[in-house]
Amino acid sequence: MRAYIGGHQAVSVNEFIELALGTPVELWLGEEGETEEERAARLDAARDILADNPELPDNVTRIVAEVIEAHAPDLFNVVPLARPLGRRRSSRKGAAA
């Protein structure tokens, strides 16, 4: 299956994320071994992008929530826990269990 965003084909997960965000992931997460000067420049660029697009954090959060909701079992290997059989305790004081 091919994924296209804005007419561009994403051939890897990182390309998909970059095309969806409109920026490289490294801008937000940084890169291993970056200098303090590189980090400062990266954070300045990120602040400029957020100033120009204040809806970006909300849009990214919404997209992430949708992906998690659609793919949680695949992403996190989630297995529902079985509830033990037995009597329930009443939440009222003095009620028999």
Side-chain angles (χ1 to χ4, degrees):
M1 185 166 107
R2 295 182 181 167
Y4 289 89
I5 297 176
H8 299 281
Q9 182 180 0
V11 295
S12 70
V13 172
N14 281 347
E15 279 189 14
F16 181 84
I17 294 168
E18 184 174 331
L19 289 168
L21 289 175
T23 62
V25 175
E26 295 80 15
L27 175 68
W28 308 103
L29 302 180
E31 293 190 67
E32 191 173 325
E34 72 182 358
T35 65
E36 284 300 316
E37 186 176 282
E38 290 168 333
R39 182 176 188 275
R42 177 178 57 78
L43 293 176
D44 283 344
R47 278 190 285 276
D48 289 344
I49 289 170
L50 289 173
D52 291 342
N53 189 0
E55 303 87 24
L56 183 62
D58 291 337
N59 292 339
V60 170
T61 302
R62 179 182 45 76
I63 291 167
V64 169
E66 290 171 2
V67 168
I68 290 171
E69 184 177 42
H71 302 285
D74 299 329
L75 292 173
F76 303 110
N77 196 21
V78 175
V79 177
L81 297 175
R83 291 182 176 224
L85 296 176
R87 297 186 310 190
R88 289 185 176 179
R89 290 188 177 183
S90 176
S91 61
R92 295 183 305 175
K93 285 188 176 184

